[in-house]
Amino acid sequence: MEPSFSSPKSFKRLYCNSKIDPQVCSVSIFALSSLIVFFFCFVYIDIRAVPAGFRIRKEEGKRNLFAENSSVVEEPPGIAKVSDLPRLEYSQSFNQCDLYAGSWVWDESYPLYQSPNCPFIDPGFRCQENGRPDKFYMKWRWQPLGCNLPRFNASNMLNRIRNRRVVFVGDSIGRNQWESLICMLAEAVPNKLQIYEVNGSPISKHKGFLSFKFEEFNCTVEYYRAPFLVLQGRPPKTSPPEVRITLKLDLVDWTSRYWKDADILVFNTGHWWNFEKTLRGGCYFQEGQTVNMTLDVLTAFERSMKTVMEWIRQEVNTEKTHVFFRTYAPVHFRGGTWKTGGNCHLETQPALSLADFPDPHLWSNNLIISKTLEQLNHKKNVQLLNITYLSQLRKDGHSSLYYLGNGSGPSALSRQDCSHWCLPGVPDTWNELLYAFLIARGFGD
């Protein structure tokens, strides 16, 4: 008669009716059971966010991620290659295709520009000129599972934004994306002298805002530095001595007067919403004339986001202005943080899964952004630009040791930049997604 495994007790009786010490046997059974449970949890676990429009799906099968001249990972037998899968162009499958579910594929036609040919990049993003030895990170293209992203066409995009303003608002990662778009557009302008900063300001070592004009097309691509999006300023005179500066959670940054009439408005925030950048340095949270000394950072972030969404609702005409809110861009420090020796300089290939680099701010910040964006569900032309999953796979794309310009690099191993991105590189894909949404919506047709 075959033994029955109908209950844990019968399982124990089957294997413990022997001369083995009962206590040792019980411990062994517990360990084996735990191992089985862990295995099934690992197999079936999925990382996804809850709100609609922000769902993140796992890759369907392990794709061939690596190039001919690097370590090769073969696809499992029977899995179709990416190029073999039938797909519609995104403009034909608008609202049916999830652009954010896909994989990185090697493409010899990339990058879309070369950094030595683009004078509009900060020295810190010029990884090749700063000594990075490999070029693999420039050759990956994002391939959605169900459709094709339109290839970025600089001439087409410039004609769509002719006589218009494209405005980026946010932190230095937003600046990363802004410089990427300028370089992508500049490929269609042979004479780079026809692209210039309207106030004559240099692109590097400059804080505040910058506006680059493409003279032939009478359009500007602008960047406004507002890492919190809300106003940062002096505290009330009656504040405790430890309060050096406050974030006014009920007021949008003072540069907002310049944002609201943009034709394309791209927001990002999140990287400065942490303890290090706020409370540790004496930056507390203020509403009205009251400084809240006990408010935690995540709650403050949520309140600030509600303020930004209310400002968009009241001040921005979304019949004219297309608003995009880009999600949090992951960091990839291994073995520490930016100031405790975290590193990423040995990463030369995309990740196969998200398990290697958990980012504690990633999902909490994105859920706040997604949740508060629901306030604008009734508004036309408001879009979440969800770059988190595809960027989380790109542990190879950061400046790492190669952010010191003027021949002074590479940096010390203990002072790496695993937050900002090399250009050309991952931010170009964020702009390809932006381009796809604008085409699908008929912007500039």
Side-chain angles (χ1 to χ4, degrees), residues 2 37 55 62 72 82 85 87 119 211 225 337 341 392 426:
E2 292 295 325
V37 169
R55 188 168 61 255
K62 293 182 179 178
V72 176
V82 170
L85 300 175
R87 291 185 177 87
S211 175
R225 183 182 181 275
T337 65
Q392 181 74 340
V426 174

Side-chain angles (χ1 to χ4, degrees), residues 113-130 137-138 175-184 186-187 202-205 210 212 399 402-403 405-406 421-425 427-428:
Y113 58 91
Q114 295 288 345
S115 55
N117 300 332
C118 183
F120 314 110
I121 304 178
D122 268 295
F125 306 150
R126 294 181 175 274
C127 300
Q128 285 294 301
E129 290 98 312
N130 295 338
Y137 67 93
M138 296 189 287
R175 183 185 178 116
N176 227 171
Q177 184 180 4
W178 167 70
E179 292 183 19
S180 159
L181 183 61
I182 293 176
C183 289
M184 292 166 76
E187 284 294 288
I203 196 166
S204 61
K205 305 297 182 183
L210 293 161
F212 274 80
S399 303
Y402 309 105
Y403 61 89
N406 303 317
W421 304 84
C422 297
L423 293 180
D428 304 336

Side-chain angles (χ1 to χ4, degrees), residues 18-274:
S18 67
K19 296 180 180 180
I20 298 175
D21 184 282
Q23 192 171 15
V24 173
C25 187
S26 296
V27 171
S28 302
I29 294 298
F30 176 79
L32 181 60
S33 302
S34 300
L35 185 62
I36 292 170
V37 169
F38 175 81
F39 173 79
F40 280 102
C41 287
F42 180 81
V43 169
Y44 286 102
I45 197 164
D46 196 0
I47 298 175
R48 54 183 81 236
V50 176
F54 184 51
R55 188 168 61 255
I56 299 174
R57 294 196 295 245
K58 290 176 67 178
E59 293 175 86
E60 294 181 13
K62 293 182 179 178
R63 305 284 173 196
N64 182 3
L65 288 180
F66 305 117
E68 182 178 346
N69 294 324
S70 60
S71 301
V72 176
V73 175
E74 297 292 342
E75 297 189 32
I79 299 293
K81 293 185 181 298
V82 170
S83 58
D84 296 336
L85 300 175
R87 291 185 177 87
L88 293 173
E89 297 304 313
Y90 179 63
S91 56
Q92 298 173 289
S93 58
F94 184 51
N95 286 335
Q96 281 85 47
C97 178
D98 183 354
L99 292 182
Y100 310 126
S103 57
W104 290 98
V105 298
W106 185 265
D107 192 326
E108 285 289 353
S109 69
Y110 275 60
L112 298 171
Y113 58 91
Q114 295 288 345
S115 55
N117 300 332
C118 183
F120 314 110
I121 304 178
D122 268 295
F125 306 150
R126 294 181 175 274
C127 300
Q128 285 294 301
E129 290 98 312
N130 295 338
R132 180 164 176 168
D134 71 293
K135 296 183 179 181
F136 295 151
Y137 67 93
M138 296 189 287
K139 291 291 187 179
W140 300 106
R141 174 175 57 82
W142 181 248
Q143 176 62 64
L145 290 172
C147 61
N148 290 318
L149 272 177
R151 186 176 176 88
F152 187 85
N153 184 313
S155 297
N156 180 279
M157 181 66 171
L158 282 167
N159 279 305
R160 289 175 184 273
I161 62 174
R162 185 185 293 273
N163 302 318
R164 291 182 165 97
R165 296 174 61 217
V166 181
V167 169
F168 289 84
V169 182
D171 55 30
S172 56
I173 311 298
R175 183 185 178 116
N176 227 171
Q177 184 180 4
W178 167 70
E179 292 183 19
S180 159
L181 183 61
I182 293 176
C183 289
M184 292 166 76
L185 294 172
E187 284 294 288
V189 182
N191 183 3
K192 299 297 188 284
L193 294 177
Q194 293 183 344
I195 308 168
Y196 53 87
E197 208 287 319
V198 296
N199 297 309
S201 300
I203 196 166
S204 61
K205 305 297 182 183
H206 186 276
K207 295 185 177 180
F209 60 89
L210 293 161
S211 175
F212 274 80
K213 185 170 185 176
F214 288 73
E215 190 174 67
E216 181 183 344
F217 298 89
N218 191 35
C219 64
T220 55
V221 184
E222 307 167 31
Y223 165 73
Y224 293 84
R225 183 182 181 275
F228 296 104
L229 299 183
V230 293
L231 185 62
Q232 190 174 29
R234 294 178 181 175
K237 292 182 179 179
T238 57
S239 301
E242 62 266 34
V243 181
R244 299 173 57 191
I245 196 168
T246 61
L247 286 171
K248 296 165 176 47
L249 303 181
D250 51 355
L251 295 174
V252 180
D253 190 88
W254 69 272
T255 58
S256 59
R257 71 188 82 167
Y258 304 115
W259 314 343
K260 65 180 185 179
D261 293 324
D263 297 280
I264 300 170
L265 183 53
V266 184
F267 289 103
N268 92 281
T269 190
H271 286 270
W272 284 52
W273 283 99
N274 56 62

Side-chain angles (χ1 to χ4, degrees), residues 386-411:
N386 180 8
I387 57 84
T388 302
Y389 172 69
L390 62 90
S391 304
Q392 181 74 340
L393 295 171
R394 292 302 307 276
K395 57 190 174 71
D396 59 315
H398 294 286
S399 303
S400 64
L401 302 173
Y402 309 105
Y403 61 89
L404 298 176
N406 303 317
S408 54
S411 73

Side-chain angles (χ1 to χ4, degrees), residues 353-392:
S353 73
L354 302 186
D356 287 345
F357 291 87
D359 187 334
H361 303 294
L362 195 66
W363 308 115
S364 56
N365 285 1
N366 276 351
L367 287 171
I368 288 172
I369 292 171
S370 180
K371 179 181 175 183
T372 52
L373 196 64
E374 291 175 0
Q375 292 177 224
L376 303 178
N377 276 350
H378 63 288
K379 283 278 199 177
K380 186 179 180 181
N381 296 325
V382 178
Q383 175 73 46
L384 188 74
L385 193 63
N386 180 8
I387 57 84
T388 302
Y389 172 69
L390 62 90
S391 304
Q392 181 74 340

